[in-house]
């Protein structure tokens, strides 16, 4: 229930930003002056990454605050040395809703988000489940994700050929949404097995991750995979 409430709160935050009706304002793609978050000591800060035409469009806002968000545009193909115009250790929550599957260099993105995250900061990610046609049918999608995919963002996670990754995100919760009729009458274990063994049962994959700071060593080993929750859509 807590996981669902957090996701609903994330959506409410995103809806409030969209409802404001303000177009995103371009921000220089090269490192520029650091933009501090207003009232850092008083408000929880949420960084929402969305995707536009050819760019990652980010909104930085204060959760539960009705004032307009501070907008900036980030190119999809940002380089390994790209830095978001946000100060280190200043963000409490991140929301990546239906965007990560469009990012060609997810490790670079997660590494940079780790830099600006506070210790214990939470990230909610929603993507099409890799076992659904929706994950593959959009020409703008460059990667498909499964529950185990998010283990790669931990410092000790599986990342062949990427020894220089400098981020550390622990997978805390993972869930999939399915049509209620597809799991009617099934136990939780049987529903999870159906998701794992059949295509086009799972619709969305939702993951919640936690920023680990200080970062663990690469020899820490992989994190365990949390139990997968199956949520009727």
């Amino acid at each position: 229930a807590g996981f669902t409430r957090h996701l609903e709160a994330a959506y409410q935050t995103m809806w409030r930003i969209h409802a404001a009706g303000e177009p995103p304002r371009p921000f220089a793609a090269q490192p520029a002056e650091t933009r501090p978050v207003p009232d850092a000591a008083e408000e929880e800060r949420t960084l929402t990454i969305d995707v536009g035409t050819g760019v990652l469009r980010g909104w930085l806002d204060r959760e539960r605050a009705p004032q307009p968000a501070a907008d900036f545009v980030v190119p999809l193909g940002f380089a390994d040395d790209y830095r978001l115009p946000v100060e280190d250790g200043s963000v409490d929550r991140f929301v990546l809703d239906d965007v990560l599957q469009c990012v060609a260099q997810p490790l670079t993105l997660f590494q940079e988000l780790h830099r600006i995250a506070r210790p214990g900061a939470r990230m909610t990610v929603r993507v099409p489940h890799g076992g659904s046609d929706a994950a593959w049918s959009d020409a703008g999608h460059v990667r498909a994700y499964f529950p185990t995919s998010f283990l790669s963002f931990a410092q000790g996670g599986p990342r062949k050929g990427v020894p220089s990754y400098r981020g550390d995100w622990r997978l805390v919760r993972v869930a999939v949404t399915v049509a209620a009729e597809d799991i009617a009458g099934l136990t939780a274990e049987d529903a999870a097995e159906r998701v794992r063994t059949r295509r086009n049962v799972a619709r969305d994959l939702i993951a919640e991750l936690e920023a680990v700071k200080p970062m663990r060593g690469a020899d820490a080993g992989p994190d365990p995979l949390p139990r997968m929750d199956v949520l009727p859509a």
Side-chain angles (χ1 to χ4, degrees), residues 18 23 40 51 53 56 68 78-79 81 83 92 95 97 105 121 162 165 169 199 201 212 215-216 232:
H18 283 292
V51 68
T53 305
L56 275 177
F78 52 83
D81 59 351
R83 289 174 67 87
D92 299 282
V95 179
D97 183 63
Q105 302 178 55
V162 191
Y165 173 67
W169 293 90
R199 284 191 55 77
V201 173
V212 180
M215 189 172 64
R216 296 168 291 182

Side-chain angles (χ1 to χ4, degrees), residues 46-135:
T46 298
L47 177 63
T48 303
I49 301 292
D50 196 4
V51 68
T53 305
V55 297
L56 275 177
R57 190 172 61 201
W59 292 288
L60 181 63
D61 79 294
R62 297 187 300 157
E63 186 145 287
R64 302 183 304 276
Q67 65 189 57
D71 305 331
F72 55 89
V73 173
V74 181
L76 267 176
F78 52 83
D80 288 344
D81 59 351
Y82 180 81
R83 289 174 67 87
L84 290 166
V86 181
E87 61 190 358
D88 293 0
S90 63
V91 179
D92 299 282
R93 291 191 183 275
F94 299 84
V95 179
L96 283 78
D97 183 63
D98 198 26
V99 58
L100 189 58
Q101 71 275 12
C102 301
V103 178
Q105 302 178 55
L107 288 173
T108 301
L109 174 62
F110 272 66
Q111 178 174 278
E112 178 60 2
L113 296 184
H114 186 268
R115 176 185 68 81
I116 64 177
R118 283 184 172 178
R122 292 298 181 103
M123 178 191 298
T124 299
V125 181
R126 183 178 71 92
V127 294
H129 189 279
S132 69
D133 290 345

